[in-house]
Every structure is written in structure tokens, then in C-alpha cells.
Amino acid sequence: MADIEMPQLGETVTEGTITQWFKAVGDTVAEDEPLFEVSTDKVDSEVPSPLSGTLSEILVEEGDTVDVGTVLARIGDAAGAPAEAPADDAEPDATSQDATPDTAPEAPQSPAGDDSPAKTAPAASGSHAGGEVDRQDQHFDVVVIGGGPGGYATALYGASAGLDIALIEKNKLGGTCLNVGCIPAKELLETAAVRRTIEHAADFGFTVGEVETDWSKTLERKQGVVDTLVGGLGQLLKSRKVTVFDGHGRLHAGHKVTIEGGESGDVALSGDAVVIAAGSLPRTIPGFDVDGDIVMTSDEFLSMDPLPGSAVVIGGGAIGCEFASTMSDMGTSVTVLEALPKILPGCDADVTRAVQQSFKKRKIDVKTGVSVSGHEPRDGGGTTVSYGDGETIDVDAVVVSVGRRPNTDDLGLDGTGVALSERGFVEVDERCRTGERGVWSVGDCIATPALAHVAFAEGIVVVKDILDEDPVPIDYANVPWAIYCHPEVAFAGHSEESAKEAGFEVLTSKHRWTGNGRAMIVGQTEGIVKIIAKKQDDGTGGRILGVHICGPWATEQLGQGYLAVNWEATVDEVAHFIQPHPTLSELFGESVLAMTGRSLHG
């Protein structure tokens, strides 16, 4: 007989109301089959049964509110119980983090403008599995160190392939992306978008008063989204029978992994394979010690309350531009200080120009080619930031957004062949294999684009490699990038500059949203669509090398451009496809069609 308890569906959730039982006493239930529905102040969720059997008792009636951990029902063994239901394949939403890029491979350069990580070495032939194993009492097929996108993707995909997985996380499941990265950052950007919409309601015939913001309510909603996704991830891992350990994991010789400092206590595990997915931490700079009040990184910014009246954002990369965009739309006076010659370095120049023009209209002051030297807190609050050639600016807050560094300072690794680069990245080949047989590494702790969706893909490659399925390595030069400032930016493949540097003779096509019907309807006509293609002898476009979109919902539009680049499609092939009308995406089709030598509207 097994007790069914009220689950914790989020970090701050302490109770829930049982709104519906899907089974009655005496019914048989399959593992992972929905058993009951629970409502909390964050979300309504269907909760699956953790095992197969017969529902023998229901202890809490529909409509009752109970604390987390309360026994709700009991399930007993059933002869001839139904076969296990397949695990739900739905995974928690994760955008590029980040869907927000802050580090990247050498080609193309990261939009965040960090130093370019070293390229991965070619993969060695043959299987990477094996190696000496110091077998512990708790032994698994795969032990994963780190529960962020790279780690949990490896765990979920591996478990769906039938592998016995252990996942170790010392903070919160979901890592940076779900807790202090992709998800909360985009939720705050959506709040800013709602405010913009209300402020322009008069354009659509609505009369509204002065817009007031309850920022604490915004943060509450943000945390609710985070808690729901983190709770859902925990349930998904549980349904796939992934064993989750809480604590700090360190790798030792013989695939031995020790865990300490968490709720799981001091534990030693071993695995036939080990995957290091330790993630990353915000970079800081001299002269700007983080205090969480005046000076903050992304970790503190996403829970900042109240919003400052004025702020400096140090760093004009992807995350810096997202933070600047959010604060400006919410009424903060924002100055961006970028040491490089332009913001969003690595993005196509025309795209960067479009973003900067929008920022200028919204009075976001962008200063490029300047370095910061320090700050001096003021007696009355706020601080004075020194930058450039003796210049200063008084602000209420400073947001340091200069990229992220690999979280590899305390991984153990003694007695193993795992090596770290000078910049602290775990060194891997193109199949994410480390120098230790049977050990792989994925995500932000290796020198590949620091994007959640790239980490997902790396986890899949690693599991296939563990299973000796000869996976196709990731083409890091052509992964999709998404930046969620206003206007949004998304791209895949070469910029015009990088294509020329690579030796291509190129043809470009650029179209603006001002003539697009759907963009006019939604009232967002800033930005550009730009296609880069190999120029053919007759002057028309050949193979599509890069697709760059800046404008409304750009991050949702990139799909067909990403496919075109990665399938090495030609202009003629893509121009043949019919684009629905009126849509934003038809501007991509028009831009490609124009490269055939003929066009419709532009």
C-alpha cells in the first residue's frame, strides 16, 4: 500500500485545494495516468499517479484545502494492473537564454560581445563509453552533475531511452534559465510589453488614464511562472524515474561522484557514464562589487523591488539590451555603457542599427567605445559612475551585464582526464566528450553558445553517444539566436560581415516592416528583415547563408529561416513556398523572393 501525498508544485507553494478526482475507490490506475487535479495560488495542475495499482482509499474530498505533504489517498497492488502509460513528453518551456546569448563560439561572434570561446576539438573515432569504474553502492547508468537545461535535458532524454539516471543539483532544478535567466527575464519583458500596449491604447480608440504599475504584483506573477515550471520539471523527472539528489556534486577517479552540502546528505555514487552540466555564473568587473542594492547582476536584477528611477547598464550585449529595454519601458531613465564600438556585437550591422534607432526614440542613452572605472555611492542614495575619459553619471542603480563564466571552480576532477581551459571551460570535442573516457560535458560550462536550446541539443547528442548511436555533431555556427529586447532580434547563420570574411561573394535583401499589413495592424513597424545569400553568376541569390530578423515577434518567426540556413536551401527553393497573408512572416518570403530578380511588393 502506497500513500499519495499533496505535492509541492512550486518553491513558495505550501497548500492546495483538491478540485477533482479522476478516479474512484476501486478503480485501477496506471503509472503517470492523471489521478487528481489540484489548485494553488499559482496554478491548476493535473497530478499523475506515481505508480500502477488500485485506488483503495480517498482521504481528502474534492474542495478540501490541505498542506503540502498531506496524505490524500492510498494505492494498493492490483493483479493484472494496466501496463505503464508512456511518460509525458512535454518539457517545460525554455527559451534561448537564455535563450539569451551571453557567450558564443568564435563564429559567429556572440551578440553579448564576450571573448570568443575556443572551438571544440574534432571528435575521436570509436566509442567513448567505458573507462575504469569505482562502483559504489548507488550505481547508475548515467550520473549528471547539474540540473539546469543541459543537465535536465540529458536526464529526461536518457530516461526516455531507458537509462537509469541520477541528477545532482545544489540549488534549484532548472538552473539559471528557469530561475534567474531565460524565464524570469522574459516574463518581465512581457510585463513591459503590456505597459507599452496600454500606453498606446488611444491609437486603437481606447481612452485610459495614467498607467500605474504595481511592481510587487509583477514580481509575484514572475515568481509564479518560475515556480510552476520548476515544479513541473520536478514532476516530469519523477515520472521518468530520474533519481534527483540535492547537494554539490564532485567528480573523482573511476566515475565516482560525491555529494555533500544539501538535503541528500553525504552520498557517493558511480555511473557507467558521467555528464558534467555545471552551468555558469554572472561575470563581475573590478570596481563594482555586487551588493544587491545599488550594484547588481542579472541574479539580483530579476528580483529588484522597487524599480530605480535611473540606472546604468554596463554591457550592451543581449542581456544588457534586454534589461535596458525592460527598465525603459517601465519608466526608468536608462544609460547603456558598452566598451566595444557597437551594442549587440556579433549581430548584423543593419540589425544593430535598427535596435539602436529604436532605443534612441525611447530615450535610452547608448554610449559605445567607453569603459567604466568605478563608482562612488552618494550619501542620499544611488551612486556616481565614472566612465570614458573622466566622465560621470549619477544613477540610482547599476546593472552589471558583461556576460557569464563557467561554474567549474569546484568540480573535483582530481585523478581524472577532464581538463579545463585557461578561461575555465571544460574541454570537449564536437560530441561533448571530455578527456576522460566515459565522461561528457554540456551546457554553459563548455565553450559553446550559452543558450538553453543548445544545451538541450548537446544533452541529446551525449545520450546518443552513450548509446553508441553515432550522433551528428551540432553545427554551432548555425544555431538559432533570440534576443528579446524591443524590438526583438533573431538570427541564424552568417551576418553580411562574417559571410564576406568567410570568402563568400554575397547578395543581400533588406525589407522593412513599414509596408507589412500585419505589422501595421499590430502597430509595430520598427525593424528589418535581412537575408544573406551566396551571389550567383547571373546576379541572383543562391544558397541562403544567413537570416536576420529585427521587429515584432522576431523570435517566433525565425523557424523557417533557421531551417533554410541549416538545410543549405537556395533562394529559388525557399521562394517557391507560399506565405500566408496577412502575416508578419510573409516579409521573410518577400525578402527571399526579391533575390530571384523579381518581386511583388518590394
Side-chain angles (χ1 to χ4, degrees):
M1 191 74 66
D3 290 344
I4 306 300
E5 297 180 351
M6 170 65 189
Q8 184 167 15
L9 298 174
E11 181 185 355
T12 61
V13 174
T14 59
E15 64 180 18
T17 301
I18 306 304
T19 54
Q20 183 179 359
W21 284 98
F22 299 121
K23 296 290 184 178
V25 172
D27 287 350
T28 56
V29 58
E31 183 177 355
D32 297 330
E33 184 179 8
L35 181 59
F36 61 92
E37 182 181 66
V38 61
S39 177
T40 72
D41 61 346
K42 304 295 184 185
V43 66
D44 293 338
S45 300
E46 291 186 0
V47 178
S49 174
L51 74 166
S52 298
T54 299
L55 183 59
S56 58
E57 286 186 89
I58 292 179
L59 304 176
V60 176
E61 300 298 325
E62 292 180 356
D64 288 351
T65 299
V66 295
D67 293 336
V68 169
T70 300
V71 177
L72 307 176
R74 292 189 173 94
I75 292 179
D77 295 335
E84 289 187 5
D88 183 0
D89 284 337
E91 297 189 11
D93 175 64
T95 334
S96 7
Q97 163 203 338
D98 132 128
T100 306
D102 243 39
T103 55
E106 290 184 351
Q109 182 186 0
S110 165
D114 295 345
D115 296 334
S116 299
K119 293 181 180 178
T120 55
S125 59
S127 173
H128 188 59
E132 182 180 347
V133 176
D134 181 6
R135 193 177 183 94
Q136 303 296 303
D137 290 340
Q138 295 193 67
H139 182 81
F140 297 85
D141 294 333
V142 183
V143 176
V144 183
I145 302 174
Y152 76 68
T154 303
L156 290 172
Y157 191 75
S160 72
L163 296 173
D164 184 17
I165 310 284
L167 179 67
I168 304 164
E169 172 55 49
K170 69 177 181 179
N171 290 317
K172 299 175 183 177
L173 286 174
T176 294
C177 179
L178 263 65
N179 293 283
V180 287
C182 318
I183 298 303
K186 279 54 179 178
E187 203 285 335
L188 297 185
L189 281 159
E190 187 62 26
T191 295
V194 170
R195 183 181 175 108
R196 281 198 313 272
T197 300
I198 296 171
E199 289 176 339
H200 290 88
D203 297 343
F204 295 85
F206 295 94
T207 301
V208 297
E210 183 179 354
V211 180
E212 296 183 358
T213 302
D214 183 348
W215 189 247
S216 62
K217 182 66 176 178
T218 294
L219 295 180
E220 181 182 337
R221 184 179 190 276
K222 179 264 296 183
Q223 195 58 46
V225 172
V226 170
D227 287 347
T228 299
L229 289 172
V230 172
L233 174 58
Q235 290 291 322
L236 189 54
L237 289 164
K238 184 176 180 180
S239 73
R240 300 271 179 97
K241 296 184 174 61
V242 174
T243 304
V244 177
F245 292 88
D246 180 80
H248 186 109
R250 295 179 179 86
L251 176 64
H252 307 274
H255 296 188
K256 177 182 176 181
V257 178
T258 57
I259 305 169
E260 62 181 28
E263 293 183 1
S264 298
D266 294 344
V267 184
L269 316 176
S270 58
D272 296 328
V274 177
V275 181
I276 300 170
S280 61
L281 300 168
R283 292 185 186 275
T284 56
I285 52 178
F288 291 86
D289 293 334
V290 176
D291 57 20
D293 182 22
I294 294 176
V295 181
M296 60 196 76
T297 67
S298 57
D299 285 358
E300 296 79 26
F301 171 84
L302 294 169
S303 296
M304 173 177 54
D305 190 16
L307 280 169
S310 59
V312 156
V313 177
I314 301 176
I319 294 179
C321 284
E322 289 185 355
F323 290 168
S325 185
T326 297
M327 288 191 289
S328 175
D329 287 340
M330 297 306 297
T332 300
S333 175
V334 180
T335 300
V336 178
L337 302 178
E338 169 57 55
L340 295 174
K342 68 170 187 173
I343 60 172
L344 299 177
C347 285
D348 188 271
D350 287 311
V351 166
T352 299
R353 193 174 300 114
V355 172
Q356 193 150 350
Q357 288 171 348
S358 176
F359 277 17
K360 185 176 181 179
K361 288 180 184 178
R362 290 150 61 201
K363 298 182 180 179
I364 299 175
D365 189 10
V366 176
K367 299 181 185 297
T368 57
V370 298
S371 58
V372 293
S373 53
H375 75 104
E376 186 66 36
R378 303 194 308 266
D379 291 338
T383 191
T384 300
V385 176
S386 300
Y387 69 94
D389 189 14
E391 298 174 273
T392 61
I393 181 172
D394 292 336
V395 291
D396 296 325
V398 179
V399 182
V400 179
S401 182
V402 291
R404 301 183 66 85
R405 65 178 181 85
N407 182 24
T408 56
D409 295 341
D410 191 13
L411 285 176
L413 307 183
D414 291 343
T416 75
V418 178
L420 302 181
S421 71
E422 290 184 2
R423 299 178 60 218
F425 290 102
V426 178
E427 294 185 346
V428 295
D429 66 13
E430 63 181 6
R431 288 186 182 172
C432 300
R433 299 171 172 181
T434 72
E436 176 75 13
R437 191 177 179 90
V439 179
W440 289 257
S441 187
V442 300
D444 287 7
C445 64
I446 66 174
T448 57
L451 305 168
H453 46 280
V454 170
F456 292 161
E458 288 169 344
I460 292 172
V461 167
V462 164
V463 170
K464 288 183 175 181
D465 203 31
I466 289 171
L467 296 172
D468 203 20
E469 294 178 350
D470 194 23
V472 176
I474 297 168
D475 181 1
Y476 290 109
N478 289 320
V479 300
W481 294 83
I483 305 170
Y484 294 80
C485 58
H486 179 71
E488 289 187 354
V489 174
F491 68 92
H494 278 292
S495 65
E496 181 177 353
E497 300 93 324
S498 69
K500 290 178 178 178
E501 290 172 359
F504 291 103
E505 184 178 2
V506 302
L507 179 69
T508 64
S509 175
K510 295 182 282 188
H511 284 69
R512 298 193 175 275
W513 299 100
T514 48
N516 177 268
R518 188 69 192 281
M520 295 174 68
I521 290 167
V522 301
Q524 297 186 41
T525 56
E526 290 182 318
I528 189 173
V529 172
K530 181 174 181 179
I531 314 295
I532 297 98
K534 184 177 180 180
K535 188 175 183 179
Q536 301 190 116
D537 292 340
D538 63 359
T540 62
R543 173 188 160 195
I544 295 176
L545 303 173
V547 174
H548 300 257
I549 304 173
C550 174
W553 303 327
T555 57
E556 301 292 341
Q557 295 188 63
L558 182 62
Q560 58 182 332
Y562 167 76
L563 291 176
V565 168
N566 280 271
W567 277 342
E568 300 183 353
T570 67
V571 164
D572 284 341
E573 289 169 339
V574 176
H576 180 72
F577 294 135
I578 298 173
Q579 303 287 335
H581 173 81
T583 61
L584 297 169
S585 60
E586 65 184 313
L587 193 61
F588 166 79
E590 293 264 1
S591 299
V592 174
L593 181 64
M595 304 178 88
T596 66
R598 302 173 184 173
S599 63
L600 288 177
H601 302 97

